[in-house]
DNA sequence: GTGTATATAGTCAAAGTTGAACAAGGAAAC
DNA sequence: GTTTCCTTGTTCAACTTTGACTATATACAC
C-alpha cells in the first residue's frame, strides 16, 4: 500500500534522523481510532524498502546498554522528491477508500429486519459517541502555540482532519438512524434472503451483458 | 483481509455453484467506484483458502471448448456457519476504515496555502460530481421488482448503501469547501512546513510520556 | 483477409501485511 | 523478594494482495 510508504517516508522526513521504534510510536499515538492502523512489521518493512530504493539512508546503528541495537534513518534528496510527488498525487486524486461496513452491508438482507434495526441503532450510538469524544478533544485543545499551555496544542491541520472525521461519523450515524426508522416503518423492505425467484433473476442479470453495460456506463460517468 | 474472504464466501453462497470468473465479474460490476476493489488474484486465492478450510467445496471442473478449464464451487454447512458469524461480527463492530485522503492530509502543511485551496476545491467538485451521478442512478432505478421494467431494478439494501455513500461524499465535499474557505480567509493557518522550533517541540512531545498518556486517555474513551 | 480488441479462465512471482516472538531492563503488585 | 507486566527495538514465518502474463475464441474494423 502506498499509504504505509508515504507515512513512513513523511515521518522520517519530518522527525529528522529516527529509528523504527519512534516512527512506530508516532503512528500509534497520532492516528485516530476508527482509522486504520499499521502493524509493527509493516513499518520496519517500509524502512528497509525505502532504504533499498534510496529514498532514505542509514545514519548509524547505536546500542544503548544491552538493549536491541537500533538503526537510525534520514531522508535523501531522491526521497524528498518522491515524497513531494506522491503526496501531491494522493491529495489531488480522489481515491477509493476501504469501508468495512460498506462491504458487510452488501449482505444486509441476510439478517432479519429486527436484527438490522438493532444493529443500525447500536452503530449510530457508537458513532455519536465518537463524535462527542472528538468534539471534546477539539474543545480542550487549541492550534495557537503561543497562547496555550503546551499540552493543549494541536496543529491546525490536525484539528481540521479531526473535524472532518467527526462530520463523516455524524452523517454515517444519521444514515443509520434514518435507515433503521425506514425499516421499522416498512418504507424500506429488504429482500428476504435467498428468495429463489429473485436469486435466479440476479444470477441471470449478472451474466447478461445488459447488466454489465449499465454498470459500465455508470462507472465511466463517475470516472470522467 | 476478512473483507475479501467474506465477499467471496458470500457470493459463492448466494450465487449457488459458481466458478471464480463469475465471482470476479460480479465483484467488478457490483462495487461502487470510489470504493476499494479486489484484484483478480485475491479472488482465486480466497477460493483456494476457503476450500482448504472446508468453508466451500469443489463441485466439479468443466471444460467448454478449448477454453481454460473452470472449477466450480459451492458453500458447505461449515461455510454457512462461518458466513453467518463473520457477517454479524463485522456488521456489529464499528471497525476502522482506511481513508487515503485522511492519510495524505496528515502532511497538508507541506503544500502552500494556495495549493491546498486549489486541491480542496477540486476535490469538492469531484465529490459533488459523484453525488450527482449516484443520485441519478437512484432516480432511474426502483426497488420494486414487479412494477418495473427489469432493467431498472436495484434491490432496496443496495439503494440504501448507495444513499449512504452519497451522504458521505456530500459532507466530505462540504468539509473541503469549508476548509478551503477557512484557509483563504485566514481563519485556518497551516503551520509552515519544517519550522525548526515547532519541529523540535513536536519531536520532544512525541517522545514524552505526557503526550502518549493524553492520547491513550483519548483512545480509551473512544473504545469504551 | 488480416490486424486489433475484448471476453473467458486462471496462474504465478514479487511485494506487502500481520502479529507473535525474542530479549533484557525496569516498575509495580502482592 | 519474586512474580508479573510494560517498555524498548526488532525480526520472522505465514499469509494476503497485486497485476502482469498465458492461451484461446470471437467480434470488429479497415
Amino acid at each position: 500500500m502506498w499509504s504505509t510508504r508515504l507515512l513512513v517516508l513523511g515521518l522520517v522526513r519530518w522527525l529528522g534522523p529516527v529509528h523504527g521504534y519512534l516512527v512506530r510510536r508516532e503512528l500509534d499515538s497520532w492516528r485516530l481510532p476508527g482509522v486504520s492502523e499499521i502493524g509493527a512489521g509493516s513499518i520496519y518493512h517500509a524502512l528497509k524498502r525505502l532504504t533499498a530504493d534510496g529514498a532514505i539512508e542509514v545514519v548509524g546503528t547505536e546500542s544503548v546498554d544491552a538493549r536491541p541495537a537500533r538503526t537510525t534513518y534520514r531522508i535523501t534528496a531522491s526521497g524528498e522528491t518522491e515524497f513531494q510527488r506522491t503526496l501531491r498525487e494522493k491529495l489531488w486524486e480522489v481515491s477509493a477508500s476501504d469501508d468495512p461496513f460498506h462491504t458487510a452491508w452488501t449482505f444486509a438482507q441476510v439478517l432479519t429486519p429486527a436484527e438490522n434495526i438493532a444493529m443500525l441503532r447500536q452503530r449510530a450510538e457508537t458513532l455519536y459517541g465518537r463524535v462527542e469524544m472528538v468534539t471534546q478533544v477539539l474543545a480542550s485543545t487549541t492550534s495557537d502555540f503561543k497562547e496555550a499551555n503546551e499540552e493543549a496544542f494541536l496543529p491546525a491541520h490536525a484539528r481540521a482532519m479531526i473535524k472532518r472525521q467527526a462530520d463523516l461519523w455524524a452523517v454515517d450515524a444519521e444514515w443509520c438512524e434514518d435507515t433503521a426508522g425506514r425499516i421499522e416503518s416498512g418504507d424500506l423492505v429488504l429482500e428476504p434472503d435467498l428468495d429463489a425467484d429473485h436469486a435466479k433473476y440476479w444470477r441471470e442479470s449478472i451474466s447478461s451483458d445488459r447488466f454489465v453495460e449499465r454498470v459500465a456506463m455508470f462507472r465511466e460517468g463517475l470516472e470522467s
Side-chain angles (χ1 to χ4, degrees), chain A:
Chain A
M1 208 60 92
W2 59 267
S3 49
T4 303
R5 189 180 170 99
L6 180 66
L7 275 173
V8 172
L9 180 57
L11 285 176
V12 170
R13 177 189 120 97
W14 188 58
L15 297 170
V18 254
H19 47 94
Y21 189 67
L22 231 188
V23 173
R24 182 186 175 183
R25 257 172 59 104
E26 236 304 56
L27 281 175
D28 281 355
S29 62
W30 248 31
R31 313 210 78 201
L32 279 180
V35 172
S36 94
E37 273 150 54
I38 294 172
S42 302
I43 293 167
Y44 290 99
H45 173 73
L47 286 171
K48 275 175 193 151
R49 201 79 215 344
L50 286 164
T51 307
D53 294 348
I56 61 177
E57 62 191 3
V58 173
V59 175
T61 307
E62 335 147 43
S63 227
V64 181
D65 300 328
R67 296 239 193 81
R70 60 191 201 184
T71 309
T72 308
Y73 300 89
R74 172 210 298 150
I75 196 165
T76 65
S78 120
E80 177 68 27
T81 309
E82 175 182 334
F83 175 74
Q84 298 282 344
R85 193 177 29 67
T86 311
L87 178 61
R88 281 173 175 78
E89 204 176 295
K90 296 310 169 185
L91 277 173
W92 282 88
E93 117 194 351
V94 182
S95 50
S97 78
D98 204 6
D99 183 339
F101 182 76
H102 191 287
T103 300
W105 176 261
T106 303
F107 301 110
Q109 85 278 18
V110 171
L111 307 199
T112 61
E115 202 175 354
N116 265 308
I117 292 168
M119 180 272 286
L120 289 167
R121 295 243 156 92
Q122 193 246 227
R123 191 177 151 83
E125 253 181 70
T126 306
L127 289 169
Y128 279 133
R130 290 195 178 175
V131 171
E132 246 175 76
M133 269 296 169
V134 292
T135 304
Q136 275 175 36
V137 167
L138 289 180
S140 70
T141 55
T142 167
S143 63
D144 191 340
F145 188 64
K146 283 144 209 160
E147 150 211 305
N149 44 348
E150 291 153 32
E151 290 179 43
F153 175 63
L154 199 62
H157 77 282
R159 291 171 61 81
M161 181 166 79
I162 289 172
K163 175 61 166 50
R164 172 171 175 269
Q165 194 58 66
D167 290 352
L168 289 172
W169 283 336
V171 269
D172 198 357
E174 273 163 44
W175 177 88
C176 287
E177 283 202 333
D178 180 55
T179 303
R182 298 211 305 131
I183 295 174
E184 206 167 40
S185 74
D187 181 30
L188 174 60
V189 180
L190 299 167
E191 303 283 323
D193 183 33
L194 286 185
D195 174 308
D197 288 341
H198 288 147
K200 182 160 175 294
Y201 168 76
W202 270 97
R203 269 196 290 281
E204 279 155 19
S205 310
I206 288 153
S207 314
S208 81
D209 297 311
R210 203 180 54 208
F211 183 80
V212 172
E213 267 157 38
R214 191 152 62 79
V215 173
M217 277 174 53
F218 163 50
R219 311 189 69 181
E220 270 155 36
L222 278 169
E223 267 141 33
S224 66

